[in-house]
């Protein structure tokens, strides 16, 4: 294993992969980005270098995301396919075990991977994990938007709430209404950090097509993840910003309650991206957890 950027065909899709900190010779920490449909551009330029100062870090972007090729069929996304892509990555890396760090949807995917490939996973770090197809996750975002938008946007949202729509319809209507300012207020407590984040989003020229999210909504897993979490025995930490209005404490609490070996660590000055709003604390928390009893 050596540092650098690579292109590798995994499960029929050419994936973008980056290795950093290989000289540290630790159990590789594979980072799973959010979205669904996001990328690692911001992470690898902010918190990533702190992590790779003392750990071997593996980035890869999921099918149809960032710098990875998209499937020929726009509907060819599913949790099962994402898990098989990951298993193919493990074979390419040629390692026995890896740690996982998943943020937002990447946290949900990390749990799916740990459930499906238990023997290959060592420890799990979840940062603001999601449960994208649950009503409670949608309600968290609905109430989150209402708590931060300006008066004009709030009135528009109140009109939607007064229509008596179901949760899915209300959720979709809210996302049709919101502008970039509202999204930044939802995702960040510190708006100076949100501006830096949005600037990096723009300079990356990497777009979320929305195709993965639509496909995962239309084709949910047969048995919801929440009902399978009790089968996951890996040591896990759940990092959650107390101001997280996107997934937040309710989702982290649900996951923590069902996992057999987990702890929640609250970040008091963060919203959905504690790795950006409190990077030093985030790095220290992750390093300390992964260093506990580490064996190669």
């Amino acid at each position: 294993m050596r540092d650098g950027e690579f292109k590798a065909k995994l499960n029929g899709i050419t994936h973008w992969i980056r290795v950093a900190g290989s000289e540290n010779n630790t159990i590789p920490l594979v980072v799973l980005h959010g979205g669904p449909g996001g990328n690692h551009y911001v992470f690898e330029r902010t918190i990533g270098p702190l992590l790779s100062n003392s750990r071997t870090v593996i980035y890869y972007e999921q099918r149809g995301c960032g710098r990875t090729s998209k499937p020929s069929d726009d509907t060819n996304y599913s949790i099962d396919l994402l898990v098989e892509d990951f298993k193919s990555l493990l074979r390419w890396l040629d390692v026995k075990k890896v740690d996982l760090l998943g943020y937002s949807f990447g946290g949900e995917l990390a749990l799916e991977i740990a459930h499906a490939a238990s023997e290959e996973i060592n420890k799990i770090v979840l940062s603001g994990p999601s449960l994208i197809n649950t009503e409670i996750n949608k309600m968290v975002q609905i109430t989150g938007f209402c708590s931060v938008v300006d008066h004009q946007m709030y009135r528009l949202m109140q009109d939607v709430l007064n229509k008596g729509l179901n949760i899915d319809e209300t959720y979709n209507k809210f996302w049709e209404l919101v502008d970039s300012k509202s999204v930044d207020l939802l995702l960040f407590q510190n708006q100076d950090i949100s501006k830096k984040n949005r600037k990096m989003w723009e300079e990356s020229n990497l777009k979320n097509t929305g195709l993965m999210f639509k496909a995962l909504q239309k084709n949910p897993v047969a048995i919801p993840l929440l009902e399978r979490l009790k089968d996951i025995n890996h040591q896990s930490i759940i990092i959650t910003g107390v101001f997280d209005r996107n997934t937040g404490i309710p989702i982290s609490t649900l996951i923590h309650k069902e996992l057999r070996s987990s702890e929640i660590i609250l970040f008091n000055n963060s919203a959905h991206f504690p790795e950006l709003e409190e990077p030093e604390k985030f790095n220290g928390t992750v390093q300390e957890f992964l260093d506990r009893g580490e064996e190669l």
Side-chain angles (χ1 to χ4, degrees), residues 11-287:
N11 198 24
I13 302 290
T14 302
H15 282 68
W16 174 87
I17 302 166
R18 182 184 168 201
V19 179
S22 59
E23 70 279 3
N24 296 313
N25 196 33
T26 63
I27 295 174
L29 176 64
V30 179
V31 187
L32 303 163
H33 63 73
N39 59 74
H40 280 311
Y41 188 87
V42 175
F43 193 100
E44 64 177 314
R45 285 161 175 77
T46 52
I47 185 64
L50 291 178
L51 293 169
S52 60
N53 276 340
S54 54
R55 305 205 73 81
T56 300
V57 177
I58 311 294
Y59 304 93
Y60 84 103
E61 290 174 339
Q62 298 145 30
R63 59 172 52 213
C65 300
R67 290 151 285 191
T68 289
S69 300
K70 70 184 190 76
S72 56
D73 183 341
D74 286 347
T75 64
N76 206 16
Y77 299 92
S78 69
I79 292 297
D80 287 344
L81 283 170
L82 293 172
V83 169
E84 288 305 313
D85 293 346
F86 181 85
K87 290 179 179 178
S88 187
L89 171 68
L90 288 184
R91 291 191 291 272
W92 184 84
L93 291 170
D94 191 25
V95 292
K96 292 180 180 179
K97 278 187 181 288
V98 296
D99 294 316
L100 299 178
L101 190 165
Y103 54 95
S104 196
F105 169 71
E108 185 173 347
L109 180 57
L111 291 168
E112 291 283 6
I113 288 168
H115 187 272
S118 176
E119 295 300 316
E120 289 81 14
I121 306 306
N122 184 43
K123 294 182 179 181
I124 306 170
V125 178
L126 308 172
S127 180
S130 67
L131 293 170
I132 60 170
N133 279 329
T134 61
E135 289 191 343
I136 187 172
N137 205 150
K138 293 168 185 174
M139 287 191 289
V140 168
Q141 289 186 17
I142 289 168
T143 56
F145 273 127
C146 288
S147 72
V148 296
V149 295
D150 59 31
H151 293 302
Q152 181 179 358
M153 182 65 73
Y154 180 77
R155 284 195 294 271
L156 295 174
M157 291 179 170
Q158 193 65 50
D159 289 341
V160 173
L161 293 172
N162 291 337
K163 292 180 185 296
L165 304 173
N166 64 36
I167 291 172
D168 283 347
E169 292 168 334
T170 302
Y171 174 81
N172 291 332
K173 287 289 186 183
F174 268 45
W175 276 101
E176 290 171 8
L177 279 176
V178 294
D179 53 14
S180 59
K181 178 184 176 183
S182 301
V183 173
D184 287 346
L185 287 168
L186 179 81
L187 297 178
F188 289 91
Q189 186 65 11
N190 183 330
Q191 290 306 299
D192 289 334
I193 301 294
S194 78
K195 289 174 185 175
K196 293 176 183 177
N197 175 72
R198 188 162 287 278
K199 183 179 179 181
M200 282 189 278
W201 277 357
E202 291 169 356
E203 75 182 21
S204 74
N205 290 317
L206 302 174
K207 305 298 182 184
N208 187 337
T209 64
L211 293 173
M212 183 191 291
F213 186 45
K214 290 177 182 177
L216 295 180
Q217 281 188 310
K218 288 181 179 178
N219 300 293
V221 292
I223 302 174
L225 175 61
L226 198 55
E227 297 178 19
R228 293 178 280 119
L229 290 178
K230 63 183 180 298
D231 301 325
I232 298 174
N233 298 312
H234 307 78
Q235 292 182 52
S236 308
I237 58 168
I238 305 167
I239 295 172
T240 304
V242 298
F243 298 105
D244 189 344
R245 296 165 281 261
N246 190 55
T247 56
I249 292 175
I251 300 301
S252 291
T253 301
L254 272 177
I255 292 172
H256 170 60
K257 186 170 65 174
E258 296 299 324
L259 286 176
R260 292 183 180 273
S261 181
S262 69
E263 58 183 299
I264 291 181
I265 301 172
L266 296 179
F267 277 46
N268 293 324
N269 299 305
S270 297
H272 189 54
F273 294 106
E275 67 272 19
L276 299 182
E277 298 200 84
E278 298 180 72
E280 296 290 344
K281 181 179 178 181
F282 187 93
N283 178 57
T285 299
V286 172
Q287 301 281 10

